[in-house]
Amino acid sequence: MANRQLLLDRRGLVLLCIFLGTLRESGAGQIRYLVPEETEKGFFVGNISKDLGLEPRELAERGVRIVSRGKTQLFALNPRSGSLITAGRIDREELCEAVSSCFLNMEILVEDTLKIYGVEVEIMDINDNAPSFREEEVEIKVSEHATPGSRFPLPNARDPDVGMNSLQRYQLNPNSYFSLQGRGKTEGAKNPELVLEGSLDREKQAAHHLLLTALDGGDPIRQGTVPIRVVVLDINDHIPKFTHSVYEVSVAENLSSGTRVLTVNATDPDEGINGEVVYSFLNMESKASEIFQLDSRSGEVLIQGSLDFEKYRFYEMEIQAQDGGGLSTTAKMLVTVVDVNDNAPEITITSSTNSVLENSPPGTVIALLNVQDQDSGENGQVSCFIPNNLPFELEKTYGNYYKLITNRALDREQVQSYDITLTATDQGSPPLSTETHILLNVADDNDNPPVFTHSSYSAYILENNPRGASFFSVTALDQDSKENAQVTYSLAEDTLQGAPLSSYVSINSDTGVLYALCSFDYEQFHELQLWVTAHDSGNPPLSSNVSLSIFVLDQNDNAPEILYPALPTDGSTGVELAPRSAEPGYLATKVVAVDRDSGQNAWLSYRLLKASEPGLFSVGLHTGEVRTARALLDRDALKQSLVVAVQDHGQPPLSATVTLTVAVADSIPDVLADLGSLESPASPEDSGLTLYLVVAVAAVSCVFLAFVIVLLTLRLRRWHLSRLLQASGSGLAGVPASQFVGVDGVRAFLQTYSHEVSLTADSRGSHVIFPQPNYADTLISQESCGKSEPLLITEDSATSLGKCDPTGNQVRFISCLPIVDVCA
């Protein structure tokens, strides 16, 4: 029946707590709830989502959680209902012991906004503890001559409940000699005393057995009992007397075990055993009994445990002095524990991040931390700081909470990570401090564009380079990391001579190596100007440009080009005049040539390669001027043919030749008159010259006819001589027709050919020699005819080409204008 009543009362108390838990104290800045002790796990404490102004689903989304200072989590959040519930059994007596009002403080952290809300939960007491006595039996010795009204202290009962649920009164079983009364105590509780109501007679009853009952005010009432045995003694008319009714002492909490706190002293004027005083603690709390020890003979109070100001700051004890006759007296001992700075500050990292983006704005929160010190006064006043050389600062927020924030933008390229030392120091003497470290990595932001190693580049490439060959490379560095530092290269869009730049040069996007897509021509362009762009892979990407100048280096790939004298369109050449009266050094003409190459490849030198009259003319080595080397003589031919070679200084050198015709006469009419006189000679010498020309033309015709006959013969017999001809590697070449040009109606041979035909009795030794055509615009000297290389030379023709075989086994035809040499 009593248990049922207790259950009904508890349900009513729970309903009351639910109602009170929804209330918040206005203006206090905290949320307050009431919850009874001994509730089951999951008991509803309060609607925390409503009090925070949030929806239940927002608790998890916004990272709402409980920041607990203790090791044991007493409360939890129900994310579905948005309520604060108990996380386990709550025992008010274990948490608050004898404190009348039990409050538990905690903080609610909203993670995304880093806001802290204070929550205070009051634990309401229920009558779950019955009063109890420490002693199993109490023995009181009373003198038989004790006067009525004498008082004898009885042990106190202990009830950890508070209020009406705590100890309220005592009861003593009915008897004829003793009654029960209470005496006041400092804290308001009552101590029972046994009062003698009548005279005792040891001879009638030597001992009296009583039962002391302690009752609380709960519903139902709980009680505890202790038996009392009163022993009647012989007369002892003096009781011990303390020197002080109250002993007060202050002790530091760091006293070591065995240290004497004080010494009590009580005197008894009786003699013998009745004057021997014994000391003992009376009604001593369990916590105090673990700390203090009393020497029963000397009265010294010693420390046997460890004092802790943060747990117990004050002890009140009662010391009893009893003589051998059973008479006793009591005195109070008040011990005040003085705080000593024996607790270093504690730093708790409530929330932190291990990475922050560089260039984050000042005021970015890195961590939220709580600083506590269990000491009191100045020993518990804590200051927290970080090194001054770091780009961070601490900002105090709610209570002992600090925010670690940035005070300027971070740069990963300068410092990639920070080891932040947080130091908390109290104001004790000496001060105690605690350090903790936060390792913060600076995340990369794409704030650095790629930078080329040079402000501009110059590349050199030889013309006529092979297509697709690499010729240069550029490099750009990016101080960022990972993809922000991955550089790709590209060429800016442009055109060159109407064609896109990409058709000339390409670049490897990963390595920056440049490739030539075509073969460059120095004569087409000397320099190529382009822009190389380097992009990183950041978001957004950054880029930088650099100019690249490609210089095409010249190669000697162009032969000199004759500008003057220019070759006429009709195939003829011009005639330069030189008066017969010209002195040595007279400028007859000048050869003008250019070379499209550059440098030494375009340095030209001139030399006289061939002349119809050696020693008559000279050519300037660097000027190309054709001057007379001596005075003209009457025997000098009318028309002089000069072959001038122009050569550059490249490696290998290239050259070009030009044939000049110089007419020796004072004027053009004289030249025409002299040429006309050649047709009708007036003197025997002129007649001989004409005859010589006629014979030469006839010889050339005969040689040509003989050549045709031999060629036809060879073709008819080719089937018979094919193997022989393949072994000897012979071949025949056609003879181009002679070219003629005219000057004022006078025709002359300007291109000559030399032909050699050798015939032997043995067909295996016969051969035909076709030299390369010798292009000349004038007559060729006789000795130059025999200088042509033969196309086919056999073993039988190893003899000199300029001699005839007297035996007649070999026939050699040599055709050369204007001289004909026929050997038969």
Side-chain angles (χ1 to χ4, degrees), residues 461-469 497 503-505 515-525 552-553 555 557:
I461 183 172
L462 284 172
E463 66 172 331
N464 303 319
N465 56 287
R467 291 183 176 88
Q497 297 183 354
S503 63
Y504 292 92
V505 180
Y515 297 89
L517 299 181
C518 64
S519 182
F520 291 104
D521 188 358
Y522 176 83
E523 288 70 37
Q524 184 179 4
F525 55 84
V552 181
L553 301 181
Q555 283 188 324
D557 58 342

Side-chain angles (χ1 to χ4, degrees), residues 35 78 83 124 151 168 173 228 247 286 292 392 396 423 431 437 554 574 621 663 688 692 697 704 734 756 801 808 813:
V35 62
N78 189 333
S83 59
M124 299 185 61
R151 293 175 175 266
Q168 298 295 321
N173 63 318
I228 300 175
Y247 291 89
S286 60
F292 299 99
F392 306 98
K396 192 170 184 180
T423 304
H437 296 268
D554 182 47
L621 178 63
Y692 175 79
V697 171
F704 180 75
E756 293 186 8
L801 298 178
F813 297 92

Side-chain angles (χ1 to χ4, degrees), residues 692-703 782 785 813-823:
Y692 175 79
L693 292 175
V694 172
V695 173
V697 171
V700 170
S701 300
C702 292
V703 170
Q782 182 179 0
C785 283
F813 297 92
I814 301 175
S815 174
C816 185
L817 289 179
I819 300 173
V820 177
D821 183 10
V822 179
C823 298

Side-chain angles (χ1 to χ4, degrees), residues 182-260:
R183 58 187 178 90
K185 195 177 181 182
T186 304
E187 297 178 355
K190 294 181 179 181
N191 294 329
E193 288 185 336
L194 193 61
V195 180
L196 182 61
E197 297 294 338
S199 299
L200 297 176
D201 188 357
R202 181 180 177 278
E203 286 72 21
K204 288 183 178 181
Q205 189 176 354
H208 299 270
H209 297 278
L210 307 175
L211 183 64
L212 180 62
T213 303
L215 301 97
D216 61 18
D219 188 9
I221 297 175
R222 291 177 177 266
Q223 63 182 16
T225 60
V226 62
I228 300 175
R229 180 172 177 264
V230 180
V231 179
V232 181
L233 303 175
D234 285 337
I235 187 172
N236 183 15
D237 54 348
H238 292 92
I239 62 175
K241 184 178 181 181
F242 283 100
T243 56
H244 301 283
S245 60
V246 178
Y247 291 89
E248 295 185 8
V249 63
S250 297
V251 296
E253 64 174 326
N254 60 348
L255 291 180
S256 60
S257 180
T259 303
R260 182 172 61 88

Side-chain angles (χ1 to χ4, degrees), residues 100-177:
S100 59
S101 297
C102 182
F103 294 92
L104 297 181
N105 293 310
M106 58 182 172
E107 288 81 32
I108 301 296
L109 171 64
V110 181
E111 188 76 29
D112 61 342
T113 60
L114 292 180
K115 290 185 178 181
I116 301 292
Y117 296 90
V119 177
E120 186 180 77
V121 180
E122 182 178 358
I123 308 301
M124 299 185 61
D125 182 56
I126 63 173
N127 191 23
D128 58 341
N129 293 283
S132 62
F133 294 88
R134 290 173 56 86
E135 298 81 4
E136 295 181 359
E137 183 181 5
V138 178
E139 183 180 279
I140 300 176
K141 296 179 180 180
V142 181
S143 174
E144 62 178 348
H145 291 160
T147 60
S150 298
R151 293 175 175 266
F152 304 93
L154 296 175
N156 287 335
R158 183 179 180 274
D159 191 338
D161 296 327
V162 296
M164 292 300 296
N165 296 328
S166 64
L167 178 64
Q168 298 295 321
R169 57 193 177 89
Y170 293 92
Q171 289 181 353
L172 188 66
N173 63 318
N175 63 88
S176 304
Y177 296 94

Side-chain angles (χ1 to χ4, degrees), residues 262-285:
L262 59 86
T263 301
V264 296
N265 185 28
T267 59
D268 193 327
D270 293 330
E271 294 181 356
I273 192 172
N274 293 326
E276 295 179 359
V277 179
V278 178
Y279 304 96
S280 62
F281 284 119
L282 186 65
N283 299 324
M284 190 177 188
E285 296 288 341

